[in-house]
Amino acid sequence: MMRFVVSLLASLALCSAPPARAEFDVARLKAAIGAAIETDYPRLDAIYKDIHAHPELAFQEVKTAAKLAAEMRAIGFDVTEQVGKTGLVAIYRNGNGPTVMVRTELDALPMEEKTGLPYASRDKTTWQGRETFVAHSCGHDIHMASWLGTAKTLVSLKDQWHGTLMFIAQPAEEIGAGAMAMLWDGLFTRFPKPDFAFGLHDGPFPYGHINYRVGVGSSNSDSLAIKFHGRGGHGAAPQQTIDPVLIAARFIVDVQTVISREKDPIEFGVVSIGAIHGGTAENIIPDEVVVRGTIRSFKPEVRAKMAAGIERTAKAVAAMSDAPPPDISITEGAKAVMNDPAVVAIAEKALKAAFGDKFRTSPPVTASEDFSEFADSGVPSMFFHIGVYEPERVAAALNGTAPPLPPNHSPLFAPVPKPTIQTGVEAMTLAVLSAFEQPARGN
Ligand SMILES: [Zn+2]
Ligand SMILES: [Zn+2]
């Protein structure tokens, strides 16, 4: 806080006084940020509703990226387009100091929005060869509006900090591919490698509230695909066949013992089989069956243990039926988001002072997020969550007097825009300002 504390005091002609308490100054900054948002909000609201009504899927976010690029250029950022296919990198230099990265996602989901909002999406596109509705049901449009509002606010407060802002708009988070696409396209070589990075996600809890944690924030996500081979034949003469349907069925049941008998029960780990494909008719034993599933964990050692157990179980069930060994493919997806203790400690001070007990630690989420790739590339990071619903509605849903509130990925997910975006801008702006008070780490 020191630099803006000093400059605030200097502007009050009190420069011989010692710096005041951080809480006091954060409150003043929060007020300045609040005033900036109030001025910017009508524009942010219009952009939010336009992006919400016209969502685009992973790596198709051409119009969305163009809208953000135009806004960022208008406030003085140097914008590079098509980084990682449809991503943006926007840089704003303001003297010597650390480089701080702020990330938003750009993509929406292939699903139909059913909120009935006046700005609901009715747009359709082609996805995996089929026509589908598109909707911002994960709330990435809230993140874009908060990202833009944070950029505007930080530029308006540029006498309070020194360094470089690196605002990135990442494609294809929903398919876990966009962060890697940007890194492969030179995100940290063509542009400055940041000293700190921040990201946020919205969720179905009260607006004005912020959840965060130190260490693991989301799960490792891996996918499994196993092809069991058998010997096809007549359903009436199973003795002449090797039945891959039965082998797959055994696998689906037995693989859960990796979770219940092999993994430490205190550690988080999930295996869910989401698809099974085999056979064409009731009286034909097919010659192969494919099962697909997802594997989630927080810790690398649990992840490795589950992968080994899954592989062993698949081979064992095939051997039990005297079938050929199965083809096993376990593909690494997003890694767990790791919140850097030092970065969190710094941001925590400012956010605690600004939001009091509405800024809380929360358990890690079992969903995954490819923001983890930036930390994994060596950038100390913090990812936090902001709420989207009226506090009274959340309370009523919790005490059972109202229906549960739609979570992310529900066709009914409907954040209340103004207080949600306002909190996103306030929290992110304070987090970035707190990071500018730290020395660059010399990556
Ligand atoms: Zn999502
Ligand atoms: Zn999301």
Side-chain angles (χ1 to χ4, degrees):
M1 297 306 112
M2 199 60 76
R3 192 171 300 122
F4 49 77
V5 169
V6 168
S7 98
L8 274 176
L9 289 171
S11 70
L12 294 168
L14 291 170
C15 46
S16 58
R21 302 293 311 150
E23 287 77 4
F24 175 68
D25 300 292
V26 169
R28 296 183 65 149
L29 265 172
K30 195 187 172 200
I33 295 165
I37 305 168
E38 212 48 58
T39 310
D40 292 337
Y41 191 74
R43 179 83 190 132
L44 292 178
D45 190 74
I47 292 164
Y48 167 71
K49 288 175 181 166
D50 175 44
I51 290 176
H52 186 93
H54 302 294
E56 294 173 299
L57 294 179
F59 291 128
Q60 300 179 2
E61 313 95 328
V62 176
K63 289 180 193 153
T64 309
K67 286 170 195 169
L68 294 184
E71 293 294 322
M72 294 300 269
R73 285 195 177 110
I75 52 175
F77 279 74
D78 182 9
V79 180
T80 307
E81 293 176 73
Q82 295 177 3
V83 181
K85 201 165 179 191
T86 44
L88 294 182
V89 178
I91 304 279
Y92 188 95
R93 291 178 206 276
N94 184 31
N96 286 329
T99 297
V100 181
M101 186 174 101
V102 179
R103 174 269 216 168
T104 181
E105 315 88 320
L106 289 165
D107 59 328
L109 289 160
M111 60 187 286
E112 185 177 359
E113 176 170 355
K114 295 178 181 170
T115 59
L117 290 166
Y119 50 91
S121 164
R122 299 308 300 158
D123 285 9
K124 286 181 176 178
T125 191
T126 303
W127 183 243
Q128 294 176 342
R130 280 193 207 151
E131 189 179 61
T132 173
F133 282 102
V134 191
H136 266 300
S137 307
C138 203
H140 296 177
D141 47 356
I142 290 282
H143 309 168
M144 287 183 252
S146 303
W147 179 87
L148 192 55
T150 301
K152 287 188 176 195
T153 305
L154 284 165
V155 169
S156 77
L157 295 174
K158 67 180 178 203
D159 56 338
Q160 306 290 322
W161 57 272
H162 296 287
T164 300
L165 295 175
M166 180 174 177
F167 272 56
I168 69 160
Q170 180 210 302
E173 188 281 328
E174 291 292 353
I175 61 167
M180 282 311 295
M182 290 190 86
L183 289 165
W184 284 331
D185 200 8
L187 180 64
F188 294 160
T189 51
R190 289 163 59 197
F191 305 95
K193 183 168 180 181
D195 299 289
F196 307 100
F198 293 96
L200 60 76
H201 208 295
D202 52 14
F205 57 99
Y207 58 61
H209 287 238
I210 301 156
N211 290 344
Y212 75 106
R213 58 179 292 103
V214 181
V216 171
S218 68
S219 71
N220 295 302
S221 163
D222 302 310
S223 45
L224 73 89
I226 301 174
K227 186 185 277 184
F228 290 104
H229 302 282
R231 186 166 62 235
H234 203 292
Q239 76 282 8
Q240 294 166 357
T241 73
I242 295 175
D243 183 356
V245 173
L246 189 76
I247 296 171
R250 273 201 185 112
F251 171 78
I252 291 164
V253 174
D254 284 353
V255 76
Q256 295 303 332
T257 65
V258 175
I259 302 300
S260 67
R261 303 291 87 180
E262 295 188 34
K263 179 185 67 62
D264 180 343
I266 288 164
E267 302 293 352
F268 167 70
V270 163
V271 180
S272 292
I273 304 301
I276 167 163
H277 295 290
T280 54
E282 73 273 17
N283 59 352
I284 305 168
I285 291 173
D287 59 5
E288 61 183 41
V289 170
V290 176
V291 300
R292 294 177 190 280
T294 189
I295 312 164
R296 303 298 172 106
S297 59
F298 290 145
K299 293 188 177 169
E301 58 271 28
V302 176
R303 181 186 211 178
K305 183 158 207 144
M306 289 201 297
I310 289 163
E311 195 171 331
R312 196 166 8 82
T313 307
K315 286 179 181 162
V317 293
M320 199 171 164
S321 294
D322 200 21
D327 301 328
I328 303 167
S329 143
I330 295 178
T331 318
E332 285 200 4
K335 299 174 190 78
V337 167
M338 296 302 289
N339 290 309
D340 184 84
V343 178
V344 175
I346 296 153
E348 202 172 32
K349 242 185 240 170
L351 292 170
K352 199 89 205 161
F355 293 96
D357 64 3
K358 290 181 176 169
F359 178 67
R360 292 178 190 163
T361 56
S362 62
V365 296
T366 62
S368 302
E369 165 61 66
D370 70 358
F371 182 76
S372 57
E373 301 297 344
F374 306 120
D376 201 59
S377 303
V379 180
S381 305
M382 177 178 180
F383 194 76
F384 56 88
H385 291 82
I386 58 171
V388 302
Y389 287 128
E390 294 88 349
E392 309 76 50
R393 275 185 77 201
V394 177
L398 283 176
N399 69 25
T401 54
L405 288 165
N408 305 70
H409 291 212
S410 157
L412 302 174
F413 185 68
V416 183
K418 191 175 179 186
T420 304
I421 294 168
Q422 232 161 359
T423 306
V425 175
E426 283 174 3
M428 191 56 90
T429 304
L430 284 169
V432 172
L433 288 172
S434 74
F436 276 124
E437 297 307 304
Q438 303 308 306
R441 294 201 179 177
N443 287 305

